[in-house]
Amino acid sequence: MRLSATILAQPHSGLALPAYDRSKITPGIVHLGIGAFHRAHMAVYVDDLLGEHSDWAIVGASLRRPDTKEALAPQEGLYTVAVRDAAGTHPRIIGSILDVLDANTEREDLLALLADPQIRIVSLTVTEKGYCHDPATGELDENHPDIVHDLANPSAPSSAPGMLVEALTRRRNNGIAPFAVMSCDNLPSNGATVRRIVSRFALLREEALGAWVAEEVAFPGTMVDRIVPSTTDADRAAVAELIGAEDAWPIMTEPFTQWVIEDNFPQGRPPFETVGAQLVNDVEPFERMKLRMLNGSHSSMAYLGYLAGYEYISDVMGDDNYVKLIHGLMTEEVMPTLHMEGVDLGSYRDQLLDRFRNPALQHRTWQIAMDGSQKLPQRLLGTIRDRLAANQPIDRLGLGVAAWMRYVTGVDEKGENIDVRDPLAMRMLAIAADAGDDPKALFTGLVALTEIFGSDLADNEVFASTVTRHLESLFDQGAAETVAQLVS
Ligand code: CS2
């Protein structure tokens, strides 16, 4: 039996329907990129709000694949969020997503909805690469194939910037106030970055449009945090058992959740603060803290852990040397670069280590290792730059970068292939093939990718010598031994 309102309404059902009347809520938010993260994060906050505090529901859209629509449509948009920790798995049914549109086959419906005055917020989780930007500078990549396509076909866009600008244009032409564009992706200064990318795209379409977007559209920044591993068939089976119905795509996550939002919504917003979100004037210190502490540790553990044969982050945390490395990375190298008022960074770090230890979460190192070219700048390289400028050592941060370089060669320590998923994978594999087994040549080849490293790091001697030294050790001794030596 498939998950549905009818199934949940039956007396034997162990689970409750959402506590509000779904027929009385209407969409106020369109979310682009309706993947697992959104369904574990913002959609849950909105679900908490519906009924008593707000009637703003969500219509989701997927820009790339129809799979979320295919999973949720037969379930009337209902799905399970299963919270996992050592104490067990706790399912809950979420009803805040009213519909899902597939941008490829329903583009006009999606554009019409985006242009509708009832939509006052458009939120996004399209992943780092979905912004079609240069990760090192945060500027629109004007040569990106999707951007080239969307500039040539502005009314049939396929990229997120193209979709937003076409919708905003239709609103402008019809005298409808713009929606607020809220990025919920792990980009540095995500509000300002998306403003830059979207206004540039608009300007390339038409100069006056670019100025209007830059002046009239609000781009509130956010810091989002919840760990969400990809769902497996075993998860589907476990959830079916718990809820007594088949859910084609339940979402597995941890108990922790955090959302910090810049309060900049000229057309209004639901009272997110009543359900635990923090509304602030300046979100950037929170974003920087989270990207450098959590995501910087995550990426370091992903590459070093994968190379040592650890499948899950909780396995990595079972190795005391790795725990010492990550503790040291945060305490010695990241925390001194952060300036947070009213946040105890030591407790934040300890809480992160506990979250990484969650034995029930099964978060794959391989999943986090994906798209490193888009992630490294904000997770490790910004911290490295700050430390180099202050003449401070970058031993542990440099090891994370070296492990990424070792990983993108596409061959593991046993000589087996690594499935490297990254928009730059082909170029990186070619660089690795040219470098052969020479770590210096590998460093020189990869550091020349300016969209990742900018143009300053290649010539920095401390950076070059630290990363190359670690890279030599990774090739000679392997990741586990390299980590053991660094922490001893
Ligand atoms: C992870 C993040 O996959 C990754 O790159 O580092 O998705 C991480 O789990 C989230 O940012 C946690 O909020």
Side-chain angles (χ1 to χ4, degrees):
M1 272 178 313
R2 192 70 176 265
L3 172 63
S4 69
T6 323
I7 293 291
L8 289 172
Q10 288 175 7
H12 65 261
S13 161
L15 279 175
L17 269 167
Y20 46 88
D21 181 351
R22 288 183 91 216
S23 67
K24 298 229 164 69
I25 58 178
T26 49
I29 301 166
V30 170
H31 185 80
L32 303 183
I34 183 119
F37 181 77
H38 172 75
R39 293 205 275 141
H41 190 262
M42 180 172 166
V44 177
Y45 286 85
V46 172
D47 194 71
D48 284 337
L49 279 167
L50 283 166
E52 208 181 322
H53 302 289
S54 135
D55 57 1
W56 295 51
I58 302 170
V59 171
S62 38
L63 299 180
R64 302 264 160 248
R65 288 183 307 267
D67 46 2
T68 303
K69 183 186 175 77
E70 284 161 8
L72 293 193
Q75 305 177 181
E76 301 152 40
L78 296 169
Y79 65 95
T80 316
V81 166
V83 172
R84 276 196 159 151
D85 62 11
T89 303
H90 309 282
R92 158 176 172 186
I93 305 297
I94 303 296
S96 53
I97 300 178
L98 291 180
D99 195 8
V100 180
L101 297 173
D102 167 32
N104 282 315
T105 53
E106 298 168 295
R107 183 176 292 108
E108 266 313 310
D109 292 343
L110 175 58
L111 284 166
L113 180 63
L114 287 166
D116 189 308
Q118 70 174 328
I119 299 304
R120 286 147 289 163
I121 297 177
V122 176
S123 51
L124 294 94
T125 47
V126 293
T127 81
E128 295 85 347
K129 61 178 179 280
Y131 292 88
C132 310
H133 71 309
D134 178 323
T137 60
E139 301 287 342
L140 179 71
D141 174 2
E142 295 175 24
N143 298 316
H144 191 292
D146 294 349
I147 296 304
V148 174
H149 169 275
D150 288 0
L151 285 171
N153 306 276
S155 57
S158 62
S159 71
M163 192 66 78
L164 289 168
V165 172
E166 176 60 12
L168 287 165
T169 305
R170 294 187 186 190
R171 291 176 84 106
R172 180 173 176 242
N173 292 344
N174 294 334
I176 298 166
F179 44 68
V181 178
M182 176 169 63
S183 167
C184 294
D185 278 296
N186 287 313
L187 299 177
S189 316
N190 57 11
T193 301
V194 178
R195 172 196 297 281
R196 195 162 52 240
I197 292 167
V198 172
S199 355
R200 178 70 192 162
F201 183 93
L203 182 136
L204 292 172
R205 273 189 61 171
E206 188 199 318
E207 197 146 338
L209 183 64
W212 179 81
V213 168
E215 271 158 38
E216 301 296 325
V217 182
F219 292 86
T222 65
M223 181 266 248
V224 294
D225 189 7
R226 195 166 207 188
I227 296 176
V228 189
S230 332
T231 306
T232 63
D233 286 340
D235 297 331
R236 286 188 181 84
V239 167
E241 183 85 4
L242 284 168
I243 68 169
E246 304 287 331
D247 181 342
W249 204 335
I251 304 297
M252 319 307 289
T253 189
E254 60 173 340
F256 182 90
T257 180
Q258 188 177 11
W259 196 12
V260 187
I261 309 171
E262 181 196 338
D263 199 358
N264 178 17
F265 296 87
Q267 306 309 315
R269 59 166 173 83
F272 294 123
E273 66 280 9
T274 56
V275 289
Q278 293 158 263
L279 275 294
V280 300
N281 289 327
D282 183 8
V283 81
E284 289 194 20
F286 293 93
E287 291 188 78
R288 194 173 310 115
M289 171 182 80
K290 191 258 174 172
L291 286 166
R292 292 183 175 191
M293 295 281 279
L294 188 158
N295 298 108
S297 300
H298 245 179
S299 290
S300 302
M301 285 193 283
Y303 301 117
L304 288 163
Y306 184 96
L307 291 170
Y310 294 132
E311 186 174 5
Y312 301 119
I313 289 295
S314 51
D315 299 337
V316 175
M317 294 298 289
D319 182 327
D320 285 344
N321 292 326
Y322 277 66
V323 176
K324 272 192 207 150
L325 173 77
I326 296 305
H327 188 283
L329 174 85
M330 291 196 271
T331 313
E332 306 296 332
E333 299 192 10
V334 181
M335 279 158 55
T337 71
L338 301 172
H339 311 284
M340 296 290 299
E341 263 167 48
V343 177
D344 177 346
L345 288 173
S347 316
Y348 182 71
R349 171 202 60 212
D350 294 344
Q351 187 183 36
L352 289 177
L353 292 169
D354 277 344
R355 291 169 63 197
F356 296 154
R357 278 191 195 99
N358 187 333
L361 208 52
Q362 305 204 312
H363 196 196
R364 283 201 158 71
T365 49
W366 178 80
Q367 182 185 342
I368 301 167
M370 275 191 262
D371 292 345
S373 69
Q374 316 291 303
K375 294 174 175 173
L376 243 47
Q378 57 273 24
R379 295 181 177 208
L380 295 172
L381 303 181
T383 323
I384 286 177
R385 282 195 179 88
D386 284 357
R387 292 186 65 80
L388 290 173
N391 283 318
Q392 291 162 337
I394 53 160
D395 247 27
R396 301 172 185 85
L397 291 158
L399 179 56
V401 176
W404 169 79
M405 290 188 167
R406 174 68 188 78
Y407 180 91
V408 300
T409 63
V411 180
D412 73 10
E413 292 181 0
K414 296 199 189 87
E416 281 168 26
N417 282 344
I418 304 174
D419 180 3
V420 177
R421 300 277 176 94
D422 194 293
L424 302 190
M426 296 320 275
R427 282 167 69 196
M428 299 189 303
L429 292 172
I431 291 169
D434 282 350
D437 54 9
D438 178 356
K440 284 206 173 70
L442 182 62
F443 173 81
T444 313
L446 288 171
V447 85
L449 293 169
T450 49
E451 55 270 71
I452 306 174
F453 292 98
S455 45
D456 54 335
L457 287 175
D459 299 327
N460 186 292
E461 269 179 32
V462 177
F463 182 69
S465 62
T466 310
V467 176
T468 315
R469 172 167 51 82
H470 287 316
L471 207 42
E472 277 162 2
S473 173
L474 288 172
F475 277 108
D476 291 349
Q477 330 257 349
E481 186 52 33
T482 303
V483 172
Q485 284 174 12
L486 197 150
V487 301
S488 68

